[in-house]
């Protein structure tokens, strides 16, 4: 596909994700981890404006010089930024202003893409597209949080079904032999810097489940008192359970004895065979402990991945998010992309129903704090 | 004026105040004291629905049973409520839903007002109108906060001028003789319950300024180091200054050596002769201490009021908000209106440019926590 | 009594209060309002050193120049201070160091008192004695808090009985006629600056109870569900009840169906006829509301006081702590004594079993935040 | 050595560490991570009483049944516990009570050790000794924190010198060849459960410094503006620097242009050639980034360790604290020892001048949150 077409495809998809929203839904930030949808739309645009157009497009005029302050997320190199907890206090720029901003930058980009890009610039451009795809997944998860925590439980779109999930019947385990394996990105397509530094690891014999833990299986854990028994939990996880009075995955409600959860179509009964989702690392690890198993490491996962169906849930791994051997930050602002988050986060592998098409891959390393669960997370057991 | 006409006048005015807003401006809650404009529009409507229509209008059907949860402010008697800090997280009900809610309730009210109201019901109706007028002032001050704390400093309405204020030239003092005076509401129009219990107080000789402290005078205090000298401050006020790094009234900015403030028309130069506004009780008291004067008590203020021009600013008084002799809460939810706030608040008297017409009166007791300053507050000295 | 004898009497009494303590008890600060006993012993000594010896005693050498940093409580004029929440982190100076400090300053003071003091100095000296007497009451209440919140509930002194309290039998009311009354200190002995500015107030007819509310009466309120019914509470009081899960006065425990409370002798059964104590202003006001009565104002209290037995409890008044007419801070550090606390505090009148002998008087104005209850507070009704 | 002798040696050493303290020093808890010394003395005793004597020693009577509540640290299995932030509020049990408790348990233990222990019991007994040795290190670091944060900066013992540290001259690097290596405990002496699961890892070629970063080298980082340049820091580390205004290692002060630090002997000049200490993981990683190097992983460290002088500092590793393959918690309370902390902590290897003799070993895994620095931490570079 031509660069222009790729650009159009990605950019239009962001707007399509937001199409069912009311203007008000674009504005709020109910928790610090969730950003207002209009902020995502502006921030991804600001990325192209700041890193591609401004330094490279002749005669490009910034749309609004104040937007740098509003839409910078965490790039310390490029000036002050609105602190993250304040994003939900900003009624302006209005949604229509941001849509004009997108149009303005899109026209400049399309025109800029007429000419041939240097390899470095092409790399940066592809990074911009992948960056926007990452925010597309956040758009979905943030929208779900905003609507799913509203006391009226409005549907996102009554015609938008959760992707039906076919799980293999029964428990089945894949056995992998001990040995040295290569880990990390090797192809010549796009990858993020945190996947680079392909390197060898030694793995002992292990087994890994070919299926994800289902809602029914997780319900067994709930009903066996899993949330009340400290023995299955990390100390910090146990504090988290008690301080937040957690007793189920996010979005689950027991209404008149029936288990319901919030979905794109509003409150719906739990689907028994679907993989459990919206659980924290603490919950994933506690479930595994209760089963007498464990979570796979990200290396075990990557080695087994070609033999697994995957892409249904982001699967919590028993691996902290740390640099691969030889990892080095790129110079300049782009170097802030991944490395500076390599502390106090756990790795997730796989993908989810809201991951952009062709965005994830076997070497893709997602990462979140162990308490977070508004992403479409899930559990795969290993042993 | 007929009840119906009064109703129409008050209800339309709330909507007119919001007319210059963009949809996004209706949604946000940047601090706990500020409510989203759409919440005010819903809450004032809920008041009529809950206290007048529901118990009295035959065959009235509630617009949406979940709205009680969303739009109840603090009436413990009428069910659970969205905690105040969460109001800004609610994207729904949307503004258009709330406008339909207003229309629905208005039609029911107009129809209900066709018949004659009992004296008790008429009293409650008038309370509802005064309640909405109170929220009209909050609409103005909350909108100013929302726009005035946005990094883009958008104007509310470029044609909306601050009411020009003519202050008496020079310092002039009114001297009042010692004696017993009657305090509290005496007429037969409407008043709030906190004004009732007309009673006698003894006042010693005192003097009270006929003018409010101006921006120029307050600037003298700033430039004399008033914000850096603990001697002028209450201990809690001094902590407040240091913790919040307060150095000017709210909305003031020194830009390239020039004093500007945020107004309805955006950032504008300070008007030297206008009464200073957006200051806390702590600042008012510190200014008075620096001048070797004090603030008037609410009793001194009320006795002097007929001889003062007033209504420009809410004037902080050296009186805590406490019940008058014989004060008794009304039974039921309406009894929660005022009495339960009679702790840790200071009284303000007067009115402001955003007080609804004919809403305030000489016996009117406004009250806020001593640290708050997003209202149009001001300073009058006494001695 | 000679100044030297007065000095000795007051100084020895502080040490006697601490005599039953173990060294460890002198050190801790379980909540911000409670200070470590050793801090009180040092701070009262620092007062004499800083305000009397240093500026006036020829050749006086400071005991330790770093003590100013440690023992200054809140006098901004005299340098930096250990922030209040840090006091309990200081293991040094050790108790024995502070005792040597007391001895050193006492010797210098006794020698200084050999010579005649100027009237100003004599006034300051008497203030120092009254200041130490105030801290003697805090020593008692802070010690009670430290021991009474220890899971071992150690006795302070098993021979130290609560002063037996004889309450008048039955309810009896004193009726006071409307009229103008004089309020504030008039004699020529010592008083604090907040009692000065004797002035006239007008009081309407009122009645005031001749007895304090007893434990039995308060238990009726508890058992009638008083802590579960928001109608009796200020909004802030209701939040306080819920956030702190308050269901009884401080130090009360229901053990196996029997009401016990922590006393100087450890856990003991509640005495039914003793005045209830260790209650907040919120609780006092809620109790009064439940009885259909109210609390007296501090003016009503002062006028009635000569006809009441008093001095058993600090009685919460429905009066905020504000300056009397003509109140002016003294210049210099001593001026920080009272005025700067005149915000967000309620007045208490009377005294308690741990008030130093002859320390309180009819015009004495004690004050605390409405949520605090580690003092020996109580309830007198008015109507 | 006989078990009895080992017991005596370990137990007496704890008391000897505390010998220079004043009673007051045993009581305070200035931050949540630091425990009062008397608590350590009680808790290590409670361990032997609860896990060895109570279930195994015939006719053993608990010293005080309430001590379980006070001295349990984090074992959820054995009942309620004083929340960690409250430890510094407890003046009782007094130090002398705890010393009697130690004597009582010691006598019972000595008598119990007369008889032969089953292998399981012997293992538990050795765990108890190692547990007390861990608390001996904490006694040192907590005492240093308590005295080193006191405004008087009292010496711990003016005769107690920091162990002189001989660092290799100059930079020198050890090069290790790529290959598979075995990691984890293999001998038959004591180790903690987190060292078990000896397993194979593959390491790429790497180099590791034979020396630790010195104070002089670290000062270069400070003076080059390292604390002001976000590029060297993790995002959370940068927040930590700004929120806590960190500009030097803990205990460093620049006094009149001279670099001093708090030591066992009070404030002393920085020793230029000593290894830098009391730095967080964030600082260690930022220093390494500034040098264009990195920290070693715990596996790289363990493989190189036999060729390094070590035991001077706890060296931060670029490895999160996670279970080794095959790690399984022991059943019962002892199983809570290590596994439940395996989240959000980084591994430290080595030892320090305050580690108990023969307590650490090459496979020993220490761990702390990345922000903590009151331990004797240090930096070794790798590349």
């Amino acid at each position: 596909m031509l660069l222009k077409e790729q650009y159009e495809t990605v950019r239009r998809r962001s707007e399509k994700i937001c199409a069912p929203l009311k203007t008000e839904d674009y504005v709020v930030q109910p928790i610090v981890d969730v950003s207002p949808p209009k902020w995502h739309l502006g921030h991804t645009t600001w990325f192209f404006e700041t890193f591609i157009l401004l330094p490279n497009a002749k005669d490009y005029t910034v749309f609004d010089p104040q937007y740098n302050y509003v839409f910078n997320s965490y790039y310390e190199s490029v000036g002050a930024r609105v602190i993250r907890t304040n994003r939900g206090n900003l009624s302006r720029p209005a949604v229509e202003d941001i849509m004009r901003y997108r149009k303005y930058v899109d026209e400049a980009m399309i025109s800029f893409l007429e000419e041939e890009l240097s390899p470095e610039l092409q790399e940066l451009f592809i990074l911009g597209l992948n960056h926007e795809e990452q925010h597309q997944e956040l758009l979905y998860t943030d929208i779900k949080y905003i609507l799913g925590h509203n006391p009226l439980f409005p549907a996102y779109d009554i015609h938008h079904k959760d992707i039906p999930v076919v799980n293999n019947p029964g428990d089945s385990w894949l056995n992998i032999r001990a040995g040295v394996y290569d880990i990390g990105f090797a192809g010549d397509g796009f990858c993020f810097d945190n996947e680079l530094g392909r390197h060898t690891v030694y793995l002992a014999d292990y087994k890994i489940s070919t299926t994800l833990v289902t809602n029914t299986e997780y319900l067994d854990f709930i009903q066996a008192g899993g949330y009340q028994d400290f023995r299955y939990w990390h100390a910090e996880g146990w504090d988290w359970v008690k301080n937040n009075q957690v007793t189920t995955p996010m979005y689950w409600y027991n209404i008149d004895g029936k288990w319901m959860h919030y979905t794109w179509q509003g409150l719906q009964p739990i689907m028994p065979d679907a993989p459990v989702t919206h659980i924290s690392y603490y919950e994933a690890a506690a479930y595994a402990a209760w089963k007498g198993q464990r979570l796979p490491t990200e290396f075990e996962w990557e080695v087994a991945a070609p033999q697994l169906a995957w892409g249904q849930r982001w699967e919590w791994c028993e691996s902290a998010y740390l640099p691969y051997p030889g990892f080095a930050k790129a110079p300049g602002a782009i170097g802030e992309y991944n490395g500076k988050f390599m502390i106090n986060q756990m790795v997730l592998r796989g993908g989810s129903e809201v991951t952009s098409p062709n965005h994830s891959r076997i070497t893709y390393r997602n990462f979140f704090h162990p308490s977070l669960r508004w992403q479409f997370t899930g559990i795969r057991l290993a042993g």
Side-chain angles (χ1 to χ4, degrees), chain A:
Chain A
M1 206 166 14
L2 291 174
L3 296 189
K4 275 205 284 190
E5 286 168 21
Q6 289 182 53
Y7 182 80
E8 284 287 353
T9 303
V10 168
R11 297 284 288 171
R12 293 299 80 74
R13 191 171 179 273
S14 299
E15 290 148 15
K16 207 174 147 207
I17 292 168
C18 295
L21 301 184
K22 298 208 173 196
T23 302
E24 293 86 340
D25 301 326
Y26 286 87
V27 180
V28 300
Q29 179 178 37
I31 55 167
V32 65
D33 307 291
V34 165
S35 292
K38 73 174 178 137
W39 185 88
H40 288 296
L41 294 180
H43 167 71
T44 48
T45 305
W46 168 89
F47 188 101
F48 287 109
E49 181 180 63
T50 304
F51 295 122
I52 293 193
L53 292 175
L54 247 183
N56 300 293
K58 222 168 46 180
D59 301 330
Y60 178 76
T61 306
V62 153
F63 180 74
D64 184 327
Q66 294 184 287
Y67 279 23
N68 185 46
Y69 179 64
V70 175
F71 290 124
N72 182 0
S73 56
Y74 49 76
Y75 299 90
E76 302 273 355
S77 325
V78 278
R81 58 193 157 122
V82 172
I83 54 168
R84 198 177 170 113
T85 43
N86 275 351
R87 284 181 196 162
N89 297 337
L90 301 185
S91 60
R92 313 285 180 94
V95 174
E96 64 189 10
D97 297 328
I98 293 167
M99 291 308 184
R100 281 194 294 115
Y101 180 39
R102 288 183 72 89
K103 196 147 177 285
Y104 179 90
V105 167
D106 283 355
E107 285 168 5
M109 280 296 295
I110 292 299
S111 156
F112 182 71
L113 292 173
E114 294 290 338
E115 298 175 45
E116 203 169 338
L117 270 52
S118 69
E120 295 74 25
L121 211 46
Q122 185 156 340
E123 202 180 322
L124 196 57
F125 171 75
I126 298 295
L127 177 62
L129 295 183
N130 277 273
H131 171 257
E132 183 142 353
E133 286 176 344
Q134 288 185 308
H135 279 277
Q136 287 170 358
E137 178 146 10
L138 292 173
L139 271 171
Y140 271 121
T141 57
D142 293 1
I143 289 168
K144 183 166 182 180
Y145 193 99
I146 288 165
L147 301 178
H149 285 77
N150 188 295
L152 309 182
F153 292 122
Y156 164 67
D157 176 353
I158 55 166
H159 304 298
H160 186 111
K161 297 212 175 172
D162 287 24
I163 289 165
V165 174
V166 183
N167 224 331
N168 295 343
D171 273 346
S172 88
W173 296 92
L174 189 64
N175 287 283
I176 311 269
R177 281 286 176 80
V180 291
Y181 292 93
D182 284 339
I183 294 294
F185 188 76
D188 47 26
F190 173 83
C191 77
F192 285 108
D193 58 355
N194 60 13
E195 302 167 59
L196 290 175
R198 186 161 170 87
H199 64 289
T200 302
V201 301
Y202 179 90
L203 299 180
D205 286 343
Y206 69 101
K207 62 174 183 175
I208 188 164
S209 176
T210 59
T211 62
L212 299 181
V213 172
T214 65
N215 286 328
T216 296
E217 291 170 319
Y218 198 82
L219 203 48
D220 287 347
F221 170 67
I222 297 175
Q223 287 167 346
Y227 282 97
Q228 285 78 49
D229 191 334
F230 67 88
R231 290 177 302 155
Y232 306 125
W233 297 84
H234 289 96
E236 290 191 7
W238 187 238
D239 289 344
W240 173 83
V241 163
K242 287 186 296 182
N243 292 341
N244 299 284
Q245 300 173 33
V246 180
T247 58
T248 66
M250 184 176 275
Y251 299 122
W252 284 38
Y253 303 91
N254 192 308
I255 298 174
D256 300 332
K258 189 165 184 191
W259 286 102
M260 307 289 283
H261 65 155
Y262 177 78
T263 71
W264 302 112
Q265 300 177 306
L267 281 180
Q268 298 287 340
I270 297 281
M271 285 183 292
D273 297 332
V276 69
T277 192
H278 296 303
I279 43 92
S280 67
Y281 177 80
Y282 299 130
E283 289 164 295
Y287 178 84
W290 175 71
K291 291 292 277 189
Q293 309 287 353
R294 61 178 176 82
L295 304 177
T297 67
E298 63 170 318
F299 309 116
E300 290 171 337
W301 191 95
E302 187 169 323
V303 167
Q307 297 174 259
L308 303 172
W310 60 283
Q312 301 174 328
R313 296 288 181 261
W314 285 106
E315 306 174 21
W316 285 111
C317 292
E318 194 174 81
S319 295
Y321 180 50
L322 288 167
Y324 282 174
F327 173 80
K329 292 195 213 180
I334 295 300
E336 295 187 50
Y337 204 86
N338 269 310
K340 72 183 188 183
F341 297 114
M342 290 177 173
I343 191 73
N344 287 344
Q345 318 241 16
M346 299 304 282
V347 172
L348 301 105
R349 294 297 195 101
S352 85
E353 63 183 78
V354 295
T355 307
S356 296
N358 306 314
H359 178 76
S360 190
R361 62 201 146 262
I362 282 182
T363 58
Y364 194 100
R365 305 175 78 199
N366 202 349
F367 56 90
F368 280 99
H369 279 271
S371 65
L372 297 179
R373 54 188 199 154
W374 93 111
Q375 298 297 304
F376 286 79
T377 51
I379 312 173
R380 184 186 301 278
L381 297 177

